[in-house]
Amino acid sequence: MSDSQVPSSSGQGAGGRRRSWAELLAGRVKRQKYNPERAQKLKESAVRLLRSRQDLSALLLEVEGLQCKKLCLSNLIDCGSSEAHANHSSSFIGSALQDQASRLGVPVGILSATMVASGVGQICAAPVDPSHPVLLTVEQRKKLSSLLEVAQYLLAHNMFSRLSFCQELWKIQNSLLLEAVWRLHVQSIVSLQELLESHPDMHGVGAWLFRNLCCLCEQIEASCQHADVTRAILSDFVQMFVLRGFQKNLDLRRTVEPEKMPQVAVDVLQRMLIFALDALAAGVQEESSTHKTLRCWFDVFSGHTLGSIISTDSPKRFFSHTLTQILTHSPVLKASDAVQMQREWSFARTHPLLTALYRRLFVMMSPEELVGHLQEVLETQEVNWQRVLSFVSALVVCFPEAQQLLKDWVARLMAQAFESCQLDSMVTAFLVVRQAALEGPFAFQSYADWFKASFGSARGYHGCSKKALVFLFKFLSDLVPFESPRYLQVHILHPPLVPSRYRSLLIDYISLAKTRLADLKVSIENMGLYEDLSSAGDITEPHSQALQDVEKAIMVFEHTGKIPVTVMEASIFRRPYYMSHFLPALLTPRVLPKVPDSRVAFIESLKRADKIPPSLYSTYCQACTTAEAKLEDAALGVRADPSCAEEPLGQLTAALEELRASMTNPSQHDVISAQVAVISERLRAALGHSEDDSVEIAKVQLSIDAPRLEPREHTAVDLLLTSFCQNLMAASIVAPPERQGPWATLLVRTMCGRVLPAVLTRLCQLLRHQGPSLSAPHILGLGALAVHLGESRSVLPEVDVGPPAATVGLPVPEFFENLLTCRTRDSLLFCLKFCTAAVSYSLCKFPSQSLGILCSCLSSGLIKKFQFLVLRLFPEARQPLYREDAASLSWRPLYLPSADWERAALSLWTHRTFQELLKEEDVQLKELRPLREFQLGLWRPHRK
């Protein structure tokens, strides 16, 4: 606008000349007293008027000059095809804005900020790709880049107001794209924090961010060509939210108004978590849009997203806050609901997305911190029992050390409960123990064992006073209407020990429990001898339960050599079930093996104890004779439906294949523990074992010369061992043993429970009777398996191999030593290969461990055998070994198809750590009697 173009409001001035607007204002200033406050208000009003009414596209055309008249905002956005042109346009626009701002009396920073904000709005208002509603198109991205180059020039020359720009930008919030906001941050126009803090409505900006982040998460997997951009946007936003929302408040005495940004950050993260938890509670469908959104959002808890801020304390506080929200969100379930429903909340049945979130939270916090946090939440807040108990399951599955931590915590809860009759502590303790026991003996002791240990002796929690006894039985009685028959069975079969003068309390409770079982149409007389607490439903068919009881009783008999106490008690106190169901299941006719097996021995023991009626035993023997005459219709043991047998084995095979796929994928290493938990569950199903194992294996008994397995055990164990060998080969291709993660330890732990006798029996068959026929991958895998079993020797039972070995029990490492014979040339070479594989794997797997730990994994006899074989087969090994002769040990040549066992054995022999191991074991050359043959020259080695 030009002064000459503004008419005077008072008509003609002096001399008939029209006065300009400036002259009119100057005259008014002379006539009125100057008021600074009024002048400031007038200036602010003028700026607001210009900002709301000014046509920015036409503004540049008002600047005099031919070149200025050709320039408009759309041209400015479209320009920037070359750096020189961009610099020229930026400087030209800056000059034009300065000139126009001086004419209008407006700060150039405000004018330029309004112009750039309007340009961003025009770009975002253009049609977008409907498949990516929060991302810019290629054309939009190009235009925005040109505009931001101008903004950077204006910033560099102090001609740009960030505050005004933010305020103008939020006026077009509904059309603003999330990528445009992010690019303003990346190109240092205005930071995300500054932009968000300028929003006048914290609730509004939180809702806007939540909607856009949901859209972004949903599109990340679908937008392959934009994957880098979308992940960068999400990562930058999350890092800012975590840093600002969970920063440590150093000055707690501040009285100023709290900053907006931390509130916005916490609000957005809270909205995303609540959305995720609500979706999980509603049952989100796999591969739905919501499922994709949750899967992407839970990935932000990984180190990949938070990597740049992981060194601060903010991520840990964020994870702790998130865990609290998970445990306390929507606490609609009561403790009584948890008692009834907790079997459905085990690790294997929890939604995979939730277990994945738990595992990511576990990375940042130690098991001690997790248990302490859980304890604090339960003591101070109302909780969602489904989330609490599924968290307990995940804890015991993912952390072996969590078992003892939970036991100690439960012990404190029980002590508090009985000390002051605290019902809440009692409920929490029972729910936590039952939930942990659902995951099986490899993760936690069985509920029956815990109940017997807690109340089965005079030292139990209830033994201090009558008040404690009354409290216990009132608590158990209140649980009866909600209890599963399985838990009632435990309480009846293993009742608390009470003094005789208080026995009426126990009798009243047992009567109430039996009444409840009658209401559920579960006959106490038909109840099995061994409970299965974690099955999906209650077994009401006594014959099916009897088959399981027979298998468990035979297993106990194998381990102890004695008739189980439970069977003896049932033959007296539960005679109807024993006679009508247990004995018929045990005495099922079959073809008797030539070498009597454990079932035959168990039956003979019962007969000698007069626990089998003579007529029933005679009928059984006659039926077995008939079955032997018709071999084509016979089967070992009880014939199972083939369709029922194949399904568990197929599920076990699928679970083992999923584990191998997870091992070889670095991004899936955090799910290995979950996969092993699934394998453990499916292995029990394949073997027909119950999920709650109350049998403690004292000693494994097997015949080393004639080891036998039932067909079902043989198939399942072969699947397990084959998978272990294949996994070792696959993992060795990716990384050396010391960097292969915990998969081998976790998988071997599943072999240390009920399946251990079958595993050791199969290993006896393979190593002692089929060793020379095994391939190199089998030898390497079984050698590594021997090392990991030796690693767990402290928790494994001894093995009684019978004659000709010593009658005393052998530790598992020494058991492997007894399986290796050197009677023939083939067996001698196999023994060398196995010893080389086992010792090499132990040194590669535990390179930084002490020699004492290495010695515990391997028996001294196995090391002696290796030393004997090397010295016997390789003359160069008998030469003095100097320090400079020490060779490096590599696992790689062993798992290659053309494994050179001679080179591998000599490399191991000259390895410095192995030589130190020999000294630790005190295996000296003079101690080996066969070495006299070397000195006399009576034997010439055969080289292969």
Side-chain angles (χ1 to χ4, degrees):
M1 291 182 295
S2 175
D3 289 343
S4 61
Q5 295 173 336
V6 181
S8 173
S9 59
S10 58
Q12 301 290 333
R17 179 174 63 84
R18 294 170 63 91
R19 291 187 292 174
S20 67
W21 184 250
E23 290 174 340
L24 287 173
L25 291 178
R28 186 168 181 82
V29 169
K30 292 178 182 178
R31 290 193 296 270
Q32 292 187 2
K33 186 177 180 179
Y34 176 71
N35 186 337
E37 183 178 354
R38 187 172 180 276
Q40 180 64 27
K41 291 182 178 180
L42 181 62
K43 185 177 180 179
E44 292 176 356
S45 300
V47 170
R48 285 196 299 270
L49 177 63
L50 287 171
R51 290 168 63 182
S52 61
R53 300 295 181 182
Q54 183 68 47
D55 184 355
L56 294 174
S57 297
L59 173 63
L60 299 176
L61 295 177
E62 296 182 7
V63 181
E64 294 180 356
L66 182 62
Q67 192 172 11
C68 293
K69 292 180 180 180
K70 295 180 180 179
L71 187 63
C72 65
L73 188 61
S74 60
N75 294 334
L76 171 64
I77 297 173
D78 294 335
C79 73
S81 58
S82 67
E83 184 177 355
H85 189 190
N87 292 336
H88 175 74
S89 300
S90 300
S91 61
F92 179 70
I93 294 303
S95 176
L97 286 172
Q98 279 184 320
D99 184 50
Q100 187 65 19
S102 63
R103 289 178 180 275
L104 297 175
V106 179
V108 66
I110 295 178
L111 192 62
S112 61
T114 306
M115 180 201 74
V116 175
S118 177
V120 173
Q122 291 181 28
I123 294 172
C124 292
V128 299
D129 187 350
S131 63
H132 309 299
V134 294
L135 301 179
L136 298 168
T137 63
V138 175
E139 186 66 23
Q140 286 175 315
R141 201 169 290 139
K142 180 180 177 182
K143 290 183 177 181
L144 182 63
S145 178
S146 300
L147 178 61
L148 297 187
E149 287 179 2
V150 176
Q152 287 174 335
Y153 174 85
L154 297 174
L155 268 172
H157 292 81
N158 297 322
M159 292 188 293
F160 189 83
S161 170
R162 284 189 170 92
L163 178 59
S164 297
F165 175 71
C166 294
Q167 293 172 347
E168 291 296 324
L169 208 58
W170 287 125
K171 292 180 181 180
I172 56 171
Q173 174 180 319
N174 292 334
S175 62
L176 200 58
L177 297 180
L178 192 65
E179 184 184 347
V181 173
W182 174 72
R183 290 193 178 276
L184 292 172
H185 167 79
V186 172
Q187 299 192 25
S188 303
I189 305 301
V190 60
S191 67
L192 292 175
Q193 178 177 333
E194 187 177 358
L195 182 60
L196 296 177
E197 284 183 337
S198 67
H199 199 287
D201 180 12
M202 289 188 299
H203 181 78
V205 73
W208 180 81
L209 284 169
F210 166 70
R211 291 193 301 271
N212 280 272
L213 287 177
C214 285
C215 291
L216 184 69
C217 290
E218 182 182 345
Q219 296 302 320
I220 277 184
E221 292 186 2
S223 57
C224 296
Q225 61 181 12
H226 304 291
D228 293 341
V229 174
T230 52
R231 294 188 184 280
I233 295 173
L234 183 62
S235 178
D236 285 349
F237 271 100
V238 170
Q239 288 182 18
M240 179 194 62
F241 292 151
V242 173
L243 275 175
R244 299 293 289 119
F246 296 92
Q247 61 184 343
K248 188 174 183 180
N249 189 1
L250 299 178
D251 188 2
L252 301 178
R253 297 170 296 178
R254 292 178 56 184
T255 58
V256 298
E257 182 181 355
E259 298 180 46
K260 291 183 179 179
M261 189 57 217
Q263 300 179 58
V264 172
V266 173
D267 178 56
V268 175
L269 294 174
Q270 187 87 348
R271 287 173 183 267
M272 292 297 295
L273 182 61
I274 291 176
F275 166 73
L277 295 178
D278 287 340
L280 290 174
V284 58
Q285 296 296 321
E286 189 171 358
E287 298 308 322
S288 64
S289 60
T290 303
H291 188 276
K292 294 178 181 177
T293 300
L294 300 190
R295 184 167 55 196
C296 174
W297 180 249
F298 289 164
D299 283 342
V300 307
F301 291 86
S302 65
H304 176 74
T305 302
L306 301 175
S308 62
I309 63 171
I310 208 72
S311 59
T312 66
D313 292 334
S314 296
K316 191 169 185 177
R317 282 191 289 272
F318 168 54
F319 279 36
S320 178
H321 173 80
T322 300
L323 180 56
T324 301
Q325 297 302 310
I326 293 173
L327 299 178
T328 58
H329 176 68
S330 186
V332 296
L333 294 173
K334 301 177 182 178
S336 57
D337 299 321
V339 171
Q340 292 177 293
M341 302 169 62
Q342 68 179 123
R343 284 186 301 175
E344 302 299 325
W345 303 337
S346 65
F347 186 87
R349 296 173 184 173
T350 301
H351 199 288
L353 287 177
L354 185 57
T355 57
L357 177 58
Y358 285 148
R359 290 195 301 272
R360 283 169 169 76
L361 296 177
F362 292 167
V363 172
M364 189 64 66
M365 305 172 70
S366 67
E368 293 80 5
E369 290 173 325
L370 291 167
V371 174
H373 191 86
L374 176 62
Q375 179 180 354
E376 180 182 354
V377 171
L378 283 168
E379 290 176 352
T380 58
Q381 302 188 51
E382 190 175 1
V383 297
N384 182 318
W385 279 110
Q386 180 177 2
R387 299 275 162 68
V388 168
L389 297 180
S390 65
F391 174 77
V392 170
S393 286
L395 197 61
V396 297
V397 167
C398 297
F399 288 115
E401 56 268 44
Q403 178 174 171
Q404 189 58 48
L405 293 173
L406 286 179
K407 286 181 180 178
D408 295 341
W409 177 37
V410 167
R412 293 194 298 270
L413 287 172
M414 295 293 290
Q416 294 171 5
F418 282 94
E419 182 178 354
S420 54
C421 296
Q422 293 182 10
L423 185 60
D424 290 343
S425 298
M426 193 80 160
V427 170
T428 301
F430 268 72
L431 287 175
V432 168
V433 166
R434 290 181 177 186
Q435 190 68 30
L438 290 177
E439 303 307 327
F442 89 97
F444 201 82
Q445 69 179 138
S446 67
Y447 175 73
D449 288 344
W450 176 83
F451 191 82
K452 288 187 291 185
S454 300
F455 307 108
S457 67
R459 298 189 302 272
Y461 298 105
H462 63 300
C464 55
S465 65
K466 180 182 178 181
K467 180 181 179 182
L469 273 174
V470 172
F471 174 65
L472 171 64
F473 284 110
K474 183 180 186 307
F475 171 75
L476 294 178
S477 299
D478 291 340
L479 283 182
V480 166
F482 313 102
E483 288 277 44
S484 162
R486 304 297 183 181
Y487 293 110
L488 294 174
Q489 177 184 1
V490 171
H491 300 163
I492 293 174
L493 295 178
H494 312 290
L497 180 65
V498 298
S500 57
R501 61 181 180 277
Y502 301 132
R503 194 159 185 82
S504 60
L505 295 173
L506 175 61
I507 294 175
D508 291 343
Y509 168 73
I510 291 180
S511 298
L512 180 63
K514 289 183 176 180
T515 302
R516 172 63 177 166
L517 290 173
D519 294 340
L520 295 174
K521 295 181 172 34
V522 177
S523 173
I524 186 62
E525 297 301 333
N526 291 337
M527 289 178 65
L529 307 183
Y530 301 94
E531 74 281 5
D532 179 9
L533 303 177
S534 54
S535 59
D538 298 317
I539 299 176
T540 56
E541 183 62 41
H543 179 68
S544 300
Q545 180 64 61
L547 293 176
Q548 296 185 17
D549 288 342
V550 166
E551 291 182 359
K552 286 192 174 185
I554 294 175
M555 183 69 67
V556 176
F557 179 78
E558 286 179 348
H559 301 154
T560 63
K562 300 178 181 179
I563 299 174
V565 175
T566 306
V567 176
M568 295 296 288
E569 291 177 347
S571 67
I572 300 172
F573 302 108
R574 301 185 57 200
R575 193 165 182 79
Y577 173 79
Y578 178 80
M579 295 298 297
S580 301
H581 301 290
F582 182 81
L583 284 183
L586 175 65
L587 301 177
T588 302
R590 62 171 181 151
V591 176
L592 297 178
K594 295 180 180 179
V595 178
D597 58 6
S598 54
R599 180 183 287 263
V600 172
F602 180 53
I603 293 173
E604 292 299 325
S605 296
L606 287 175
K607 179 178 178 295
R608 287 193 298 269
D610 293 330
K611 297 302 179 182
I612 301 178
S615 59
L616 187 59
Y617 180 79
S618 176
T619 302
Y620 165 72
C621 293
Q622 184 177 358
C624 289
T625 303
T626 303
E628 189 174 359
K630 300 177 180 179
L631 292 176
E632 66 277 7
D633 297 329
L636 291 175
V638 181
R639 181 180 297 274
D641 183 2
S643 61
C644 296
E646 292 174 3
E647 183 178 354
L649 289 174
Q651 293 177 351
L652 175 60
T653 303
L656 292 169
E657 291 175 353
E658 290 176 4
L659 174 64
R660 189 174 310 118
S662 301
M663 287 169 39
T664 55
N665 186 352
S667 63
Q668 296 293 317
H669 280 181
D670 57 341
V671 305
I672 289 178
S673 58
Q675 289 290 346
V676 173
V678 174
I679 289 172
S680 177
E681 180 179 355
R682 294 184 180 178
L683 180 62
R684 284 195 297 264
L687 294 174
H689 296 165
S690 66
E691 297 183 24
D692 183 78
D693 184 6
S694 59
V695 177
E696 181 179 354
I697 302 176
K699 182 180 290 186
V700 177
Q701 291 183 327
L702 58 88
S703 173
I704 196 171
D705 289 327
R708 296 184 60 85
L709 280 176
E710 295 289 339
R712 179 165 57 176
E713 290 181 327
H714 187 285
T715 304
V717 173
D718 267 3
L719 279 175
L720 198 61
L721 296 180
T722 302
S723 177
F724 185 90
C725 296
Q726 292 173 344
N727 290 351
L728 182 68
M729 297 300 102
S732 296
I733 294 174
V734 178
E738 68 271 20
R739 296 206 302 269
Q740 289 178 10
W743 72 267
T745 301
L746 294 174
L747 191 56
V748 169
R749 193 176 297 147
T750 66
M751 306 181 192
C752 297
R754 285 279 309 275
V755 74
L756 180 63
V759 170
L760 296 181
T761 301
R762 184 57 179 149
L763 288 174
C764 180
Q765 294 174 344
L766 293 172
L767 299 180
R768 187 173 180 88
H769 301 283
Q770 304 174 30
S773 64
L774 296 178
S775 63
H778 286 119
I779 296 173
L780 293 173
L782 297 181
L785 177 62
V787 172
H788 283 288
L789 286 172
E791 183 186 11
S792 305
R793 66 184 300 169
S794 60
V795 297
L796 295 181
E798 293 184 339
V799 185
D800 184 0
V801 297
T807 56
V808 296
L810 298 174
V812 169
E814 295 183 16
F815 165 71
F816 279 98
E817 172 195 340
N818 279 267
L819 299 182
L820 302 174
T821 61
C822 299
R823 299 171 183 171
T824 64
R825 179 176 179 274
D826 289 339
S827 63
L828 182 145
L829 292 174
F830 167 71
C831 182
L832 173 69
K833 294 178 182 180
F834 184 86
C835 293
T836 302
V839 179
S840 297
Y841 180 82
S842 65
L843 296 183
C844 293
K845 182 67 175 178
F846 310 110
S848 60
Q849 299 292 341
S850 65
L851 294 178
I853 294 178
L854 293 175
C855 292
S856 67
C857 296
L858 302 168
S859 70
S860 59
L862 188 140
I863 297 174
K864 289 179 181 179
K865 283 190 175 183
F866 173 75
Q867 185 185 25
F868 167 71
L869 292 171
V870 169
L871 292 174
R872 183 172 185 178
L873 293 176
F874 309 122
E876 55 264 47
R878 303 170 210 157
Q879 303 299 323
L881 183 66
Y882 301 99
R883 180 176 298 273
E884 55 269 18
D885 294 335
S888 61
L889 187 63
S890 175
W891 178 249
R892 181 176 178 81
L894 286 178
Y895 68 80
L896 295 177
S898 57
D900 188 342
W901 291 101
E902 176 181 341
R903 184 164 63 89
L906 288 174
S907 175
L908 174 60
W909 174 256
T910 58
H911 192 256
R912 181 178 296 108
T913 305
F914 177 73
Q915 291 296 323
E916 294 175 357
L917 186 62
L918 289 180
K919 295 178 183 178
E920 182 77 15
E921 291 283 1
D922 195 24
V923 181
Q924 302 298 332
L925 187 65
K926 60 184 179 181
E927 295 178 1
L928 296 177
R929 182 179 304 171
L931 293 182
R932 295 178 179 269
E933 298 176 1
F934 300 144
Q935 300 169 356
L936 298 176
L938 298 179
W939 191 86
R940 295 291 182 266
H942 296 279
R943 305 292 290 272
K944 180 177 180 180

